[in-house]
């Protein structure tokens, strides 16, 4: 009896270890980063759960006294958005990162709309706090790193890149137009403004189809450490990946102010890493209307802008790459 009890205990302990290891994103296990990323993710999940618990009452207060059509549209739309983001927060991946970052700000927009509709200030404050906490957590670099790394292949470490200023601004402006149509279309239909509501709703649907892949491209930008060397994967700035074997890398360091390295950041704000090479390398910038075939350059040094440059240099040094 005691032997079987001990065997069952060991079996459950093994299962628990396997389960815990399976939740660790590849390339992040047994590191302080993994703990910080997990904590950030759970903060986002907990805050988003509070959004559901508090948001229901806030939405009910906002639609109180209005038609049943408005009430149903607000309830169905609110729960649909919450469910999509909740699923995204539960299953780390690159598409889930995009869904979380596109959907989480909608809670603050709903708070604003509820305030315009006359919801009591106390309800607005109670909803806006967890909505803001979830928003901040989802947009942290550690949260993004965990979700990007969860989709990694084999022994590779992915580090998200800072968004280029122009692409990031365009994405925010597109989101603002899209969210305006997303909220106004159904509400106009509920108010029996059939033509205007239908047009706004169709434009919101078209915006979802058109913008979603482009927003996802911003989540698919990363600097990668692989066993064979390094890879710059940036479908927004580059027409193709830039791959360097370990023997081709002369050094990695924080870029000095007077660097003459080729700027492959977008350009993006924040600290950049300068990577020098042992031989000339060809890089091709993404296609543009003025340059439909892209623009090829030859370089011996390049700049990349990961969201956590210190982590990149530490991980590169641990893999034997020349850092400093």
């Amino acid at each position: 009896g005691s032997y079987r009890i001990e065997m069952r205990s060991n079996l459950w302990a093994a299962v628990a270890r396997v389960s815990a290891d399976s939740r660790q994103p590849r390339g992040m296990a047994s590191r302080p980063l993994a703990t910080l990323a997990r904590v950030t993710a759970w903060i986002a999940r907990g805050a988003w759960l509070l959004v559901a618990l508090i948001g229901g009452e806030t939405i009910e207060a906002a639609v109180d006294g209005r038609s049943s059509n408005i009430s149903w549209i607000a309830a169905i739309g609110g729960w649909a958005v919450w469910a999509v983001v909740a699923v995204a927060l539960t299953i780390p991946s690159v598409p889930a990162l995009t869904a979380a970052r596109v959907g989480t700000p909608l809670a603050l927009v709903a708070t604003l709309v509820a305030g315009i509709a006359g919801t009591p200030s106390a309800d607005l404050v109670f909803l806006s706090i967890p909505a803001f906490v979830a928003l901040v957590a989802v947009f942290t670099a550690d949260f993004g790193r965990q979700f990007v790394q969860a989709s990694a292949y084999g022994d590779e470490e992915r580090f998200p890149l800072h968004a280029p200023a122009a692409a990031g601004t365009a994405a925010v402006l597109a989101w603002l137009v899209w969210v305006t149509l997303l909220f106004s279309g159904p509400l106009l239909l509920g108010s029996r403004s059939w033509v205007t509501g239908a047009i706004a709703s169709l434009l919101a649907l078209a915006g979802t189809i058109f913008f979603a892949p482009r927003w996802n491209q911003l989540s698919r930008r990363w600097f990668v450490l692989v066993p064979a060397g390094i890879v710059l994967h940036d479908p927004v700035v580059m027409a193709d990946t830039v791959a360097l074997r370990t023997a081709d890398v002369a050094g990695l360091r924080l870029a000095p102010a007077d660097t003459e390295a080729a700027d492959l950041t977008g350009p993006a704000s924040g600290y950049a890493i300068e990577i020098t090479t042992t031989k000339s390398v060809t890089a091709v910038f993404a296609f543009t209307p003025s340059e439909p075939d892209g623009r090829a350059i030859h370089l011996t040094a390049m700049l990349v802008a990961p969201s956590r440059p210190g982590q990149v240099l530490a991980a590169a040094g641990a893999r034997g790459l020349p850092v400093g």
Side-chain angles (χ1 to χ4, degrees):
S2 60
Y3 176 76
R4 287 193 296 271
I5 292 174
E6 182 179 357
M7 287 291 292
R8 284 197 296 268
S9 177
N10 292 337
L11 176 62
W12 281 115
V15 170
R17 286 194 298 270
V18 171
S19 176
D21 292 341
S22 68
R23 292 192 295 268
Q24 296 281 347
R26 288 183 291 270
M28 294 177 65
S30 302
R31 299 181 183 183
L33 173 62
T35 300
L36 179 60
R38 285 199 306 273
V39 169
T40 305
W42 279 109
I43 289 174
R45 291 164 186 152
W48 196 246
L49 178 60
L50 290 177
V51 167
L53 297 176
I54 300 171
E57 295 182 1
T58 304
I59 291 176
E60 288 180 4
V63 299
D64 186 34
R66 289 169 172 80
S67 67
S68 59
N69 290 339
I70 295 292
S71 299
W72 277 106
I73 288 172
I76 294 173
W79 281 111
V81 169
W82 184 87
V84 169
V85 176
V87 172
L89 292 175
T90 304
I91 308 173
S93 67
V94 173
L97 175 63
T98 302
R101 288 183 168 175
V102 170
T104 304
L106 294 176
L108 287 176
V109 176
T111 304
L112 176 62
V113 173
I116 295 173
T119 301
S121 299
D123 291 339
L124 297 177
V125 171
F126 288 141
L127 176 57
S128 62
I129 291 175
F132 182 75
V133 170
L135 176 67
V136 171
V138 163
F139 276 89
T140 60
D142 297 309
F143 182 93
R145 170 82 200 285
Q146 182 185 30
F147 275 56
V148 164
Q149 184 65 33
S151 298
Y153 299 103
D155 182 20
E156 68 176 30
E157 294 181 81
R158 295 179 177 179
F159 299 87
L161 301 171
H162 280 298
T169 301
V172 171
L173 293 176
W175 185 89
L176 290 173
V177 173
W178 171 75
V179 76
T180 301
L181 296 169
L182 184 68
F183 273 75
S184 62
L187 292 176
L188 286 169
L189 288 174
S191 301
R192 300 183 184 277
S193 298
W194 305 117
V195 176
T196 308
I199 293 174
S201 297
L202 289 175
L203 288 175
L205 177 60
T208 303
I209 296 172
F210 180 79
F211 291 127
R214 288 158 177 80
W215 290 329
N216 194 54
Q217 289 289 72
L218 291 173
S219 299
R220 297 181 63 246
R221 303 176 59 254
W222 47 68
F223 179 77
V224 192
L225 298 175
V226 297
I230 62 176
V231 176
L232 174 62
H233 180 273
D234 188 349
V236 175
V237 177
M238 310 305 298
D240 200 359
T241 57
V242 179
L244 298 175
R245 294 177 300 176
T246 301
D248 298 333
V249 179
L252 297 91
R253 63 172 180 170
L254 285 177
D258 59 349
T259 180
E260 296 182 358
D263 190 350
L264 306 187
T265 69
S269 61
Y271 290 106
I273 290 178
E274 180 187 77
I275 302 169
T276 54
T277 63
T278 58
K279 63 180 182 179
S280 180
V281 175
T282 301
V284 182
F285 286 99
F287 314 127
T288 63
S290 60
E291 296 176 320
D293 296 326
R295 177 167 60 92
I297 62 171
H298 303 286
L299 56 88
T300 55
M302 62 182 182
L303 298 179
V304 297
S307 55
R308 288 287 187 266
Q311 292 175 2
V312 171
L313 294 177
R319 286 177 176 258
L321 290 165
V323 175

